[in-house]
Amino acid sequence: MDRIRLAVLGMGRQGQIHSQNIAYRIPQAELVAVSDITLERAAAAGIDGVDLYDDYREILARPDIDAIVIATSTDTHEEVIRAAAKAGKHMFCEKPIATTLEAIDEVLAVVEASNVKFMVGFNRRFDPTFSQVRKLVTDGVVGDPMIVNITSRDPQPPHLEYLKVCGGIFFDTTVHDFDMARFLTGDEIVEVYATGSVLVDERIGALGDLDTTMVTLKFASGAVGSINNSRRTGYSYDQRVEVFGKRSCAFGNNETPTRVEYVNPEGTHSDTPLYFNIERYPEAFYGEIRAFTDCLVNDTPAPVTGADGRKAVVLSMAAKKSWQENRPVKISEIG
């Protein structure tokens, strides 16, 4: 295909970002239609000349649409993927694929049988800083990874209603970091040990969840790692990675509005890191949709597969089990 005709399903924050990128930044893509549960919500992206729908199934019925972006609510992903596969549409889907491992396996089997391309939205792989750390590993500059450390801390917790349905911190936050650990090293995690506390908001604990966590990792190669998460920093969005290898150590640090520093008698000062994921990862959001359209135009495999999406969920399940049982959990115990 020389030019991809796309539709975006779901006009929440993520759907609007994808719509804007398709419409204005990707020459080989054309945004044809968008949908949400009402026409008013479908119009949220504010892009002229795009068809609006309040039923995504009407979009799937259009033969002139090649592919869809699924940015609907988590509980609808399984249903939408099945319907899109039946309609023969290529898919980019925000994580998670589905809410249970059984459902994920069933959905991926349906996708494979339909012979359509399917990509999962782990946008941080396409962040220029983290991509460069990965390149330093693959080019041999870092050498074989020995220790991987990932920090991912939010400026403030999501609202309580979201916390009730997000699946918990391991599935909502750490899931991205599990994927990043696999991406940076090119290695598989074989064991996790998770611990955590409620130090930010007692209401999070009342939901049976944590707001401050640490997960240690063991990789198939013998390398080790750690992921630390917090629901509130008090200063900004804290997103850093480190890969220590046999030849060198690569750091991916926080992004700031400018690179300016100044010095006075009180110390050295610089900008506060960018506030949250929308500000921190605009190029990553663009990069993942660009990669999706590239794989359609060039008929190449999707760079983030359904198997990648499944593995991140399995790792999240293992972390939750580890925390609940207070012991290391081998990934083979989950499946």
Side-chain angles (χ1 to χ4, degrees):
M1 290 180 279
D2 296 326
R3 187 169 173 83
I4 310 302
R5 291 173 59 84
L6 283 150
V8 178
L9 315 187
M11 280 293 105
R13 182 175 59 182
Q14 207 65 55
Q16 292 180 46
I17 291 171
H18 292 321
S19 297
Q20 297 282 341
N21 280 325
I22 294 166
Y24 301 126
R25 297 191 65 186
I26 303 176
Q28 71 266 42
E30 178 184 357
L31 183 65
V32 178
V34 300
S35 72
D36 209 303
I37 57 175
T38 67
L39 292 177
E40 290 76 16
R41 290 184 61 167
I47 301 172
D48 293 334
V50 174
D51 297 333
L52 307 180
Y53 292 88
D54 57 9
D55 186 343
Y56 75 88
R57 288 165 292 196
E58 294 181 42
I59 289 178
L60 298 183
R62 287 182 55 167
D64 63 327
I65 292 176
D66 304 309
I68 62 168
V69 174
I70 302 171
T72 55
S73 59
T74 294
D75 60 345
T76 66
H77 287 187
E78 179 183 353
E79 169 196 315
V80 176
I81 294 169
R82 289 178 183 274
K86 184 177 180 180
K89 307 299 184 187
H90 303 292
M91 287 171 271
F92 174 97
C93 183
E94 289 294 343
K95 63 86 180 170
I97 298 168
T99 54
T100 68
L101 201 55
E102 180 182 15
I104 290 172
D105 289 338
E106 291 177 359
V107 164
L108 291 181
V110 169
V111 169
E112 184 175 2
S114 69
N115 199 32
V116 297
K117 294 187 187 296
F118 183 79
M119 179 172 166
V120 178
F122 282 115
N123 68 286
R124 297 179 191 181
R125 291 185 178 218
F126 301 91
D127 173 69
T129 295
F130 296 162
S131 294
Q132 180 62 19
V133 173
R134 169 61 179 158
K135 188 174 186 299
L136 292 173
V137 174
T138 58
D139 288 352
V141 175
V142 170
D144 294 337
M146 297 188 291
I147 300 174
V148 179
N149 293 313
I150 298 175
T151 292
S152 183
R153 305 170 188 158
D154 294 345
Q156 62 183 9
H159 56 79
L160 202 61
E161 292 307 307
Y162 175 81
L163 290 169
K164 290 177 181 178
V165 299
C166 72
I169 192 169
F170 296 123
F171 292 89
D172 184 48
T173 299
T174 324
V175 65
H176 289 283
D177 305 309
F178 286 135
D179 183 72
M180 181 53 54
R182 295 182 57 246
F183 170 68
L184 292 174
T185 61
D187 199 358
E188 296 297 341
I189 300 166
V190 296
E191 184 178 276
V192 299
Y193 181 35
T195 188
S197 300
V198 180
L199 302 175
V200 171
D201 190 331
E202 292 180 356
R203 293 176 299 174
I204 296 176
L207 297 174
D209 197 9
L210 304 165
D211 57 37
T212 309
T213 60
M214 174 71 77
V215 183
T216 58
L217 315 172
K218 183 71 174 292
F219 291 87
S221 65
V224 295
S226 70
I227 297 169
N228 72 85
N229 298 129
S230 174
R231 287 292 195 185
R232 185 179 67 204
T233 64
Y235 49 89
S236 197
Y237 196 37
D238 197 351
Q239 298 284 288
R240 291 172 283 141
V241 303
E242 172 193 351
V243 182
F244 171 66
K246 292 186 177 181
R247 294 182 178 176
S248 67
C249 188
F251 299 89
N253 292 316
N254 285 316
E255 299 292 335
T256 54
T258 75
R259 299 293 185 180
V260 175
E261 293 184 353
Y262 70 94
V263 180
N264 63 17
E266 283 73 45
T268 300
H269 310 271
S270 61
D271 291 346
T272 301
L274 293 166
Y275 183 69
F276 211 3
N277 62 338
I278 300 302
E279 296 84 1
R280 169 64 181 81
Y281 289 118
E283 292 308 304
F285 293 131
Y286 159 72
E288 63 180 352
I289 294 297
R290 178 62 186 261
F292 177 57
T293 57
D294 283 348
C295 83
L296 297 179
V297 168
N298 300 316
D299 193 22
T300 54
V304 188
T305 66
D308 291 318
R310 184 188 191 277
K311 287 176 181 179
V313 171
V314 168
L315 289 163
S316 299
M317 290 177 172
K320 184 175 182 179
K321 184 179 181 69
S322 172
W323 165 60
Q324 290 174 330
E325 300 181 6
N326 192 28
R327 67 176 180 89
V329 171
K330 293 186 183 300
I331 307 311
S332 57
E333 296 181 42
I334 307 299

